[in-house]
Amino acid sequence: MRPWSERAPLFEAIAAYQSQTVGRFHVPGHKARPEAFGPGASYYQGLLPLDVTELRGLDDLHHPEEAIHEAQQLAADCFGAEETFFLVNGSTVGNQAMIAAVCRPGDLLLVQRDAHKSVIHGLMLAGAHAVFVHPRIDERTGLRGGIALEDVEEALRLYPQAKGLLLTCPSYYGIGPDLESIAELLHARHKCLLVDEAHGAHYGFHPELPGSALSCGADAVVQSTHKMLTALTMGSMLHVQGQRVSREILRRILGMLQSSSPSYPIMASLDLSRRYLQEQGTGAITSALAVLESWRSGIARRPRWSLARISGPYRSDPFKQLLYDAAGKLNGYELQAKLEESGCYAEMADAGYVVLAFSLVSRLEEVHHLLEALDRIAQQEQPDDASRPSSGYAAEATGIRQGASFRERISQPVPFSIASIHGQTASRLVPLDSCEGHMAAEMIVPYPPGIPLLYPGERITPQIAADLRLLAGSGARFQGHNVTELGTIPVRSSQLAEQETFE
Ligand SMILES: Cc1ncc(COP(=O)(O)O)c(C=O)c1O
């Protein structure tokens, strides 16, 4: 038998099925015939043979015994978990499942405030109560470092009934706190640590990368294998170790939340992504780090552009590069748009920075294209005397998106429920200019990064209102209620707002 690192059992099982099949009398209805895809035929034709269903030998994600079982076990060995679940609906479904596995309705969970919206949705689905712990903001860059150990300690003192803590590490910007001490603290109090490591599936696979959340002691960890590794979009994994999070409950919840027809192309890509990481990972990451070195030295030779780097006790991902206009002429959104005109598409922008996501397969020629594009932009967009000064503006602008406006360190318990979606809470729209003091009726989510600036029931402080106006003024995109386009905020009707004050 070949070494385990060369095997990709699920992909191999599909390839074997493909080589022996002469008639497809099963779903999906496209029958692997590209002509059904019209103008997309040539794009899809290589992928269609992989798009199969639960046939003999191809196993069943909801009752894995063969190829999927083996692929998940290989993934668990590779990532250092005791058990790994493949996810076909991204880290989104992993976050929801983790919360529901740990919290019964009414249970309390400590949650990092700048969590992804899937965490808020998970709290709603579980009917859990959250105590939000706010991340520390780095004054110099405006970037969020992560939650501090002493804040977790204080939250546990105030709320000893908490089931555990769910935190995000690394952030969309590739930054996170030291997880080991947080895990030790929680475990000493018999609480669990759940980590949304959506942006850190590559962590721990090279000495120059931070260690993974599992290696730091987390009990359950969600990773978007599709973000920083090489799986197809939506391909993600949920890893578990120890006994603090029930795997049986997780299995049952994932059985409810994931499709009964999970995508084989996505699952096989998880298998192949793990295989690539094991076989080529260290060498590929070393090459990618050399590409990044060229990028950083290219920027160092161009005083017009700068890269932000957070200081302090935080762990940073070298694959996330935070670019800004040191002359202060272009804000993050404007710079992102200019780069797109040159065919260079960044992961996201905020008012201060453009976030560039590299990965273990990034190439030097892309860096050259990017530097050339920046040279062109620098020529076209000469700073004038009226430009903002270089220092501080990116930090200040970014601080808004990073949640600098959440002043309190530890919130009161906030009850979440699915009821808010059913319109049981009457709402109305108020103009952005006069939204202070009202209670949000829905999540307000600048996107990316998908971190709700307001959750349903949250009181709109003057600071949050000011941040919303600034975001709308700088052209931020919102998911759901589009504050930039509409200039309004959905708020709870005053009578209900008073009854349902959470804070
Ligand atoms: C921190 C974080 N968690 C979870 C998610 C959801 O991940 P997915 O897109 O894999 O569902 C995202 C998506 O951007 C994210 O940024």
Side-chain angles (χ1 to χ4, degrees):
M1 186 173 318
R2 280 171 295 136
W4 51 275
S5 60
E6 281 181 21
R7 297 213 49 220
L10 180 55
F11 170 74
E12 287 158 16
I14 300 172
Y17 153 83
Q18 179 58 22
S19 67
Q20 70 200 32
T21 188
V22 290
R24 286 182 171 235
F25 304 102
H26 57 78
V27 296
H30 59 64
K31 311 288 181 194
R33 293 202 205 296
E35 60 269 29
F37 288 74
S42 61
Y43 292 93
Y44 277 92
Q45 78 179 1
L47 188 71
L48 293 180
L50 293 176
D51 195 23
V52 284
T53 188
E54 288 81 5
L55 304 170
R56 194 184 309 282
L58 297 187
D59 212 355
D60 177 348
L61 179 65
H62 296 289
H63 191 80
E65 293 180 311
E66 310 169 282
I68 295 177
H69 173 68
E70 214 186 322
Q72 291 187 144
Q73 272 192 332
L74 287 173
D77 289 346
C78 173
F79 289 92
E82 285 170 21
E83 186 160 357
T84 290
F85 299 90
F86 281 1
L87 307 175
V88 290
N89 188 22
S91 290
T92 294
V93 76
N95 279 334
Q96 291 166 354
M98 270 196 313
I99 295 170
V102 166
C103 296
R104 295 166 193 240
D107 277 350
L108 193 141
L109 188 66
L110 306 180
V111 178
Q112 183 170 331
R113 171 58 183 88
D114 53 336
H116 185 256
K117 62 184 179 150
S118 56
V119 170
I120 305 292
H121 287 146
L123 292 165
M124 286 175 169
L125 287 171
H129 294 207
V131 164
F132 289 110
V133 183
H134 294 261
R136 299 289 175 111
I137 308 290
D138 177 54
E139 298 275 322
R140 196 175 54 80
T141 56
L143 295 167
R144 161 172 49 86
I147 54 178
L149 180 68
E150 52 270 39
D151 293 342
V152 180
E153 205 160 19
E154 175 65 0
L156 285 172
R157 193 187 63 74
L158 292 169
Y159 302 102
Q161 73 274 36
K163 294 283 172 186
L165 166 70
L166 191 156
L167 60 73
T168 310
C169 181
S171 66
Y172 216 130
Y173 294 70
I175 301 165
D178 165 31
L179 290 186
E180 251 170 81
S181 48
I182 294 178
E184 270 170 31
L185 170 67
L186 287 157
H187 293 165
R189 310 278 165 90
H190 308 289
K191 312 289 181 194
C192 63
L193 173 61
L194 313 176
V195 179
D196 176 353
E197 200 177 38
H199 294 273
H202 58 313
Y203 273 24
F205 286 95
H206 194 279
E208 288 188 39
L209 295 178
S212 70
L214 278 174
S215 71
C216 293
D219 299 285
V221 177
V222 173
Q223 294 177 333
S224 293
T225 323
H226 67 96
K227 288 192 196 295
M228 301 304 289
L229 290 177
T230 49
L232 289 184
T233 295
M234 293 170 91
S236 299
M237 297 189 195
L238 170 51
H239 306 294
V240 194
Q241 63 183 350
Q243 303 303 318
R244 289 186 192 87
V245 177
S246 161
R247 296 179 211 172
E248 195 38 47
I249 297 180
L250 263 182
R251 208 181 320 279
R252 291 168 73 166
I253 292 168
L254 285 171
M256 289 165 62
L257 297 179
Q258 298 222 86
S259 169
S260 63
S261 309
S263 159
Y264 275 80
I266 291 177
M267 291 189 288
S269 80
L270 288 171
D271 199 18
L272 291 169
S273 177
R274 185 270 314 152
R275 181 188 184 282
Y276 181 73
L277 184 65
Q278 279 181 318
E279 211 189 26
Q280 313 275 342
T282 312
I285 294 172
T286 303
S287 306
L289 291 171
V291 169
L292 280 163
E293 194 44 49
S294 304
W295 155 251
R296 278 192 297 268
S297 56
I299 288 296
R301 290 193 302 275
R302 291 165 170 82
R304 173 67 187 268
W305 311 110
S306 272
L307 298 170
R309 220 182 142 68
I310 195 166
S311 48
Y314 304 112
R315 315 176 315 159
S316 287
D317 180 0
F319 285 164
K320 290 278 173 70
Q321 295 285 307
L322 314 177
L323 174 71
Y324 68 100
D325 179 1
K329 175 157 169 116
L330 300 171
N331 71 30
Y333 303 114
E334 290 162 344
L335 179 53
Q336 180 186 31
K338 293 275 170 209
L339 286 170
E340 286 173 2
E341 285 169 19
S342 291
C344 293
Y345 287 81
E347 170 61 22
M348 67 165 257
D350 65 23
Y353 300 109
V354 173
V355 180
L356 302 162
F358 291 79
S359 88
L360 69 175
V361 292
S362 290
R363 295 281 175 266
L364 197 56
E365 53 270 26
E366 289 171 298
V367 163
H368 291 152
H369 287 311
L370 188 53
L371 290 170
E372 279 163 20
L374 287 170
D375 288 342
R376 269 195 303 279
I377 296 168
Q379 276 199 330
Q380 290 160 5
E381 299 287 334
Q382 305 271 350
D384 49 50
D385 292 344
S387 286
R388 288 159 289 189
S390 63
S391 66
Y393 94 89
E396 197 181 308
T398 294
I400 300 160
R401 292 293 282 275
Q402 298 282 320
S405 48
F406 311 128
R407 295 281 173 240
E408 55 179 5
R409 288 245 183 278
I410 298 165
S411 79
Q412 299 287 310
V414 181
F416 284 94
S417 93
I418 201 85
S420 57
I421 292 177
H422 286 285
Q424 288 180 8
T425 308
S427 69
R428 65 197 168 92
L429 296 174
V430 295
L432 193 50
D433 285 336
S434 53
C435 65
E436 284 97 328
H438 289 282
M439 208 172 263
E442 305 174 11
M443 271 201 270
I444 299 296
V445 189
Y447 192 88
I451 297 168
L453 200 59
L454 287 167
Y455 53 76
E458 187 169 17
R459 181 79 67 190
I460 306 172
T461 62
Q463 181 66 48
I464 291 178
D467 288 354
L468 282 167
R469 284 192 282 271
L470 230 139
L471 279 172
S474 56
R477 284 162 54 204
F478 286 81
Q479 266 184 348
H481 188 87
N482 189 334
V483 180
T484 300
E485 267 177 26
L486 302 170
T488 56
I489 302 287
V491 298
R492 292 186 173 173
S493 68
S494 51
Q495 199 191 350
L496 275 161
E498 270 159 36
Q499 283 167 10
E500 298 179 21
T501 300
F502 298 140
E503 292 192 302

